[in-house]
Amino acid sequence: AHAMGQRPITFLRQVVALCTYPNLLDSPSFPEDAKERARRILQGCGGNSLGSYTASQGINCIREDVASYIERRDGGVPADPDNIYLTTGASDGISAILKILVSGGGKSRTGVMIPIPQYPLYSAAISELDAIQVNYYLDEENCWALNVNELRRALNEAKAYCNPKVLCIINPGNPTGQVQNRKCIEDVIHFAWEEKLFLLADEVYQDNVYSEGCQFHSFKKILYEMGPEYYNNVELASFHSTSKGYMGECGYRGGYMEVINLHPEIKGQLVKLLSVRLCPPVSGQAAMDIVVNPPVPGEESYAQFIKEKESVLNNLAKKAKLTEDMFNKIPGIHCNPLQGAMYAFPRIFIPSKAIEEAKAHKMAPDMFYCMKLLEETGICVVPGSGFGQREGTYHFRMTILPPVEKLKILLEKVKDFHIKFLEKYA
Ligand SMILES: Cc1ncc(COP(=O)(O)O)c(C=O)c1O
């Protein structure tokens, strides 16, 4: 986001600056609420310095702030700081949890169910661990919805060659941008309960919801609302990050995971595993604290904070709609609504002559398309084959991060390119 010109949230940077260089605590240029946050974080650090290692699970007071944030977000559903682990971005948490879940050999090797299209961290982590990737397909005709019948199909087929134990959900979706409704989440949780699957809920885009009528529901909240049979049994790890939302602070590598119903001995193993990397970056932990503990009404920085946050999110919402509308005006491109996250994943029609030429170059057809787009316009998008897609369909993923004016020019260029491409390979 920042690479595309998005400005950092002032309050977050003020607190991190104060933590990094505490002499600034005497400066009149910093607001009192930022200083108060910084002092609290520094008190949680060894020697009052960000330069000390912290506990492997993360600084206590920040884990408490994360738990309070989750409780507020989920309408009072309790969260225990002991179940919170601060991480090096969400990626670190996801890899760590997968690491402790994967075991067995041959047909009993752990299968990990992931959506297709997926964010490639999942296929990469699964491959690194030599686990078995089990694909379930999102329903493109239905705005990339997740259908439990498809989960069941994938699970039953996978049981023939592995031991499917983990179900990953990305909500809102990357690269597909869908936001799951409450009923869908309930169905998924019921399915996980029935099949005794460990749920991984990747919720890093929880603040990025744009379409009217769409709302973010956390898996944790719905799990609780489904009653004790579910919330006392279903194992769930959910993930959040400083990287997305309105912050876009991916360089700080801040994140957390909340883990529910993990056996105490496994929790011990998880801490041991996390302690191999000593601790997550402490500046990232501080940044995560501001995401979960931002200025509140009545505090000096509140007005500016809300203005900045809303400006980023309103802008993203505008760009989501603009992108969807522009793509859908181009013949041979269809784009589902960008309900959330930061990407468009339009389906593109590639003529058979272009497919043949791609094959001659030993390239996937959408890779060929994306390379041509790059060569002819300088626009870099990612071919759908990098995320997975139904056989015979082609897509690309594009972020909606460039500023509105630039995005309009970019979309016009994609349109001109696409029309010429169709003519050339007609
Ligand atoms: C769905 C999803 N999960 C996880 C991540 C990784 O985020 P982080 O920077 O917090 O490691 C990303 C980053 O793009 C993502 O899109």
Side-chain angles (χ1 to χ4, degrees):
H2 294 194
M4 288 287 117
Q6 184 182 310
R7 310 302 309 159
I9 297 290
T10 306
F11 188 75
L12 187 150
R13 288 299 183 91
Q14 283 173 331
V15 176
V16 177
L18 288 160
C19 289
T20 307
Y21 189 57
N23 286 0
L24 294 174
L25 287 164
D26 298 326
S27 160
S29 328
F30 287 77
E32 204 41 52
D33 46 3
K35 289 182 181 172
E36 178 261 318
R37 299 286 199 291
R39 281 192 200 100
R40 183 158 173 275
I41 294 169
L42 287 171
Q43 274 163 16
C45 297
N48 290 338
S49 171
L50 283 199
S52 305
Y53 289 126
T54 70
S56 299
Q57 199 168 344
I59 297 175
N60 280 349
C61 70
I62 301 182
R63 289 192 292 114
E64 284 161 13
D65 289 345
V66 170
S68 308
Y69 161 81
I70 294 172
E71 288 188 3
R72 282 196 309 279
R73 182 196 69 187
D74 292 346
V77 172
D80 182 351
D82 195 42
N83 289 338
I84 310 292
Y85 299 76
L86 301 183
T87 56
T88 309
S91 313
D92 171 50
I94 296 165
S95 308
I97 281 287
L98 284 174
K99 224 179 236 177
I100 60 164
L101 289 173
V102 172
S103 63
K107 278 189 177 182
S108 64
R109 190 78 183 150
T110 301
V112 181
M113 301 180 71
I114 62 168
I116 297 293
Q118 56 116 16
Y119 172 62
L121 160 67
Y122 289 93
S123 48
I126 290 168
S127 157
E128 188 183 1
L129 294 169
D130 233 347
I132 309 295
Q133 177 175 326
V134 177
N135 297 338
Y136 67 87
Y137 288 84
L138 301 174
D139 183 2
E140 182 165 20
E141 270 65 51
N142 226 328
C143 286
W144 298 112
L146 198 175
N147 182 319
V148 172
N149 291 334
E150 168 59 10
L151 286 182
R152 190 158 286 120
R153 178 209 58 81
L155 181 82
N156 288 339
E157 285 180 19
K159 280 178 179 168
Y161 55 88
C162 68
N163 177 15
K165 281 203 298 203
V166 188
L167 171 55
C168 302
I169 312 286
I170 309 175
N171 178 49
N174 174 11
T176 37
Q178 83 287 13
V179 177
Q180 283 176 357
N181 64 34
R182 189 189 182 87
K183 166 83 174 59
C184 172
I185 296 175
E186 282 175 3
D187 290 350
V188 172
I189 292 174
H190 180 74
F191 178 77
W193 171 80
E194 233 174 18
E195 298 288 349
K196 297 195 167 36
L197 297 170
F198 193 111
L199 275 174
L200 295 196
D202 183 333
E203 298 176 333
V204 299
Y205 296 102
Q206 57 191 266
D207 285 314
N208 299 102
V209 175
Y210 315 119
S211 289
E212 239 170 77
C214 286
Q215 196 192 333
F216 170 74
H217 301 282
S218 76
F219 267 72
K220 161 89 180 300
K221 177 168 192 266
I222 309 276
L223 179 66
Y224 266 71
E225 289 172 355
M226 286 172 73
E229 180 57 22
Y230 293 91
Y231 72 67
N232 286 331
N233 289 304
V234 176
E235 292 164 299
L236 167 73
S238 49
F239 305 89
H240 194 19
S241 167
T242 58
S243 297
K244 317 292 176 183
Y246 54 89
M247 310 73 78
E249 295 281 13
C250 42
Y252 276 107
R253 309 308 298 128
Y256 76 75
M257 64 180 163
E258 183 188 22
V259 179
I260 314 287
N261 287 326
L262 204 63
H263 190 283
E265 278 178 29
I266 307 295
K267 266 171 117 169
Q269 292 296 321
L270 178 61
V271 172
K272 199 199 276 183
L273 178 66
L274 290 173
S275 62
V276 174
R277 52 85 162 122
L278 297 168
C279 68
V282 187
S283 47
Q285 296 187 46
M288 194 70 235
D289 189 57
I290 301 315
V291 175
V292 295
N293 186 20
V296 291
E299 284 187 317
E300 191 179 344
S301 301
Y302 180 72
Q304 186 185 1
F305 169 75
I306 281 296
K307 190 165 158 239
E308 291 176 358
K309 172 179 172 176
E310 287 182 352
S311 158
V312 173
L313 292 178
N314 291 340
N315 230 315
L316 283 167
K318 203 189 289 177
K319 292 188 284 188
K321 188 80 184 81
L322 171 80
T323 305
E324 175 195 339
D325 291 347
M326 294 273 283
F327 275 142
N328 284 328
K329 283 189 194 135
I330 307 176
I333 295 191
H334 173 74
C335 185
N336 272 329
L338 280 67
Q339 297 171 332
M342 296 173 168
Y343 318 94
F345 194 66
R347 182 164 173 179
I348 46 176
F349 170 72
I350 301 187
S352 42
K353 269 195 194 163
I355 295 175
E356 278 161 30
E357 192 165 327
K359 276 189 189 143
H361 286 86
K362 295 196 168 44
M363 274 182 181
D366 47 11
M367 178 66 177
F368 176 74
Y369 178 96
C370 292
M371 285 308 289
K372 289 274 176 223
L373 177 69
L374 179 63
E375 284 161 6
E376 289 176 29
T377 65
I379 297 169
C380 181
V381 297
V382 188
S385 42
F387 304 90
Q389 55 200 344
R390 280 209 183 268
E391 185 76 27
T393 68
Y394 304 109
H395 302 79
F396 63 76
R397 191 196 74 169
M398 190 192 92
T399 77
I400 55 166
L401 294 172
V404 176
E405 287 317 308
K406 230 182 194 174
L407 187 63
K408 280 186 187 158
I409 298 170
L410 185 154
L411 289 164
E412 282 297 336
K413 284 191 178 178
V414 174
K415 178 178 158 195
D416 294 344
F417 165 82
H418 187 80
I419 291 169
K420 272 195 230 142
F421 186 88
L422 291 188
E423 281 168 5
K424 183 171 175 195
Y425 294 100

